[in-house]
Amino acid sequence: MTLSVLAMKNAGPCHAGFITTRAIGNATIRNRIRRCLREIVRKHQHDVREGFWIVLIARRDAASASYRTLEDEWLRLAKRASILAL
């Protein structure tokens, strides 16, 4: 997974976008990954500092990853990007 972050002035709460390409798998797999990523970001939205636009790009390994693995990767990337308010 790849995380891109853009800081915006006066943007309010964070905005998130998700990219899943056809290389990951069929539509069912891509939708499952998007739903998981959306839920993970929603679950941790109160931990993310305000004023950021976030784009998560799922890679091929995400198709076989569990929810917990995706969540751990999101937290690792968010901490590395210094967007968590924790």
Side-chain angles (χ1 to χ4, degrees), residues 13-83:
C14 74
H15 297 272
F18 308 97
I19 299 174
T20 54
T21 63
R22 288 185 181 170
I24 293 174
N26 62 23
T28 306
I29 294 170
R30 293 192 312 267
N31 288 334
R32 183 187 65 83
I33 293 169
R34 271 196 300 271
R35 282 193 308 270
C36 286
L37 293 176
R38 204 175 298 129
E39 176 61 20
I40 290 167
V41 172
R42 187 201 64 77
K43 181 177 170 185
H44 295 283
Q45 69 184 351
H46 301 294
D47 299 333
V48 177
R49 295 186 305 167
E50 288 190 1
F52 288 103
W53 287 13
I54 301 165
V55 176
L56 283 167
I57 303 171
R59 297 294 181 206
R60 199 174 293 229
D61 293 341
S64 60
S66 68
Y67 178 87
R68 184 64 189 166
T69 303
L70 292 172
E71 186 175 25
D72 290 343
E73 182 67 10
W74 153 252
L75 290 172
R76 185 187 72 79
L77 291 171
K79 286 177 188 172
R80 188 171 177 196
S82 301
I83 61 172

